[in-house]
Amino acid sequence: MDIVVCIKQVPDTTELKIDPITGTLIRKGVPSIMNYDDKAALEEALKLKDQIGAKVTAISMGPEQAKEVLEEALAMGADDAILISDKVFSGSDTWATSNVLSEAIKKIGFDVIFTGRQAIDGDTAQVGPQIAQKLGIPQVTYVRKLTYKGGKFLIEREMDDYIEIVEAKTPVLFSVVKEANNPRYLDVRRLVDICKRDPIQVWNNNDLKIDESIIGLKGSPTKVKKTFTPVFEKETKIIEGSTDEKVQTLIKELKEKHLI
């Protein structure tokens, strides 16, 4: 079984700051990490590898520094890693990003694709489903538990107030929630070997040959007008009257603010 896992390098949101003038993320000096949902997706792929001997290829679209999360993926147990990097990919929204990733995945070949549910720097949850759509394969989103037996998958999907259980066969794409598992630690011996060999391939658009009108900023139908940190204001109000009057006043005000 050939498995491709899409991972993304994102800013560590515990230290995320936004420029109040430009409204853009301040990335300088902010540490980068592997997106949490993507790491859970990688762990699910590695569990399959442990079970049936699958080959796992990790891919990431981004600048040269995104090699860091691919090195982490290899140290966790992935067999191959490919960085998809080119200036013409810069500024891609989810639609343009999925155009790039789906072409790369076709070039690699696959039986199963794993993605995270969403990235913490965008929260769109769109790229995984868009990849499946463009490849013409089934997708199962919000995966919280996955088992493989008898040539088919049994999946638990985490919905708002219930769990949905579905079955799937290859080819298929799974988008995984971070609560699905506890990702394994890095293997130090693998990490040392990675540092010695630099085994990560780098593909650009010369390799993928994608029409530039559907990638990058030029090929992105979504434009981000502004990014800002919400301002939370507090107001203290003392309600007078008897206990019954206070209760009725409180209920009325909460309803007016659409809080109940």
Side-chain angles (χ1 to χ4, degrees), residues 60-66 83-86:
S60 185
M61 176 177 155
E64 185 75 11
Q65 72 179 48
L83 174 65
I84 303 161
S85 185
D86 196 311

Side-chain angles (χ1 to χ4, degrees), residues 21-33:
I21 305 300
T22 64
T24 58
L25 296 178
I26 301 174
R27 295 181 182 270
K28 185 177 181 181
V30 179
S32 295
I33 58 174

Side-chain angles (χ1 to χ4, degrees), residues 46-95:
L46 295 175
K47 285 162 63 177
L48 267 178
K49 176 184 175 180
D50 295 341
Q51 179 185 348
I52 62 174
K55 178 184 178 182
V56 176
T57 301
I59 66 172
S60 185
M61 176 177 155
E64 185 75 11
Q65 72 179 48
K67 277 188 174 182
E68 295 171 2
V69 292
L70 290 171
E71 290 171 350
E72 185 177 352
L74 289 170
M76 287 176 65
D79 299 290
D80 290 322
I82 302 169
L83 174 65
I84 303 161
S85 185
D86 196 311
K87 287 184 178 180
V88 299
F89 302 151
S90 299
S92 292
D93 67 357
T94 61
W95 188 80

Side-chain angles (χ1 to χ4, degrees), residues 146-209:
L146 183 75
T147 56
Y148 180 73
K149 186 177 181 181
K152 63 182 178 182
F153 294 94
L154 184 65
I155 310 107
E156 290 186 9
R157 300 183 65 224
E158 185 177 85
M159 311 307 289
D160 287 339
D161 53 4
Y162 63 95
I163 300 300
E164 182 179 58
I165 299 176
V166 297
E167 290 184 351
K169 293 184 178 180
T170 61
V172 64
L173 180 144
F174 298 118
S175 74
V176 182
V177 300
K178 66 180 183 294
E179 295 83 7
N181 54 54
N182 293 309
R184 66 194 65 190
Y185 293 110
L186 308 185
D187 185 313
V188 176
R189 290 171 297 181
R190 290 179 65 93
L191 187 59
V192 171
D193 182 59
I194 292 161
C195 293
K196 290 179 180 178
R197 294 189 299 113
D198 188 22
I200 298 171
Q201 301 177 61
V202 180
W203 289 359
N204 57 32
N205 205 36
N206 290 330
D207 300 294
L208 299 178
K209 298 178 174 58

Side-chain angles (χ1 to χ4, degrees), residues 118-135:
Q118 61 193 37
I120 58 176
D121 62 348
D123 286 340
T124 64
Q126 293 174 352
V127 173
Q130 288 173 339
I131 291 172
Q133 179 70 20
K134 287 164 185 176
L135 293 175

Side-chain angles (χ1 to χ4, degrees), residues 140-151:
V140 183
T141 55
Y142 296 91
V143 174
R144 77 162 200 169
K145 185 176 181 181
L146 183 75
T147 56
Y148 180 73
K149 186 177 181 181

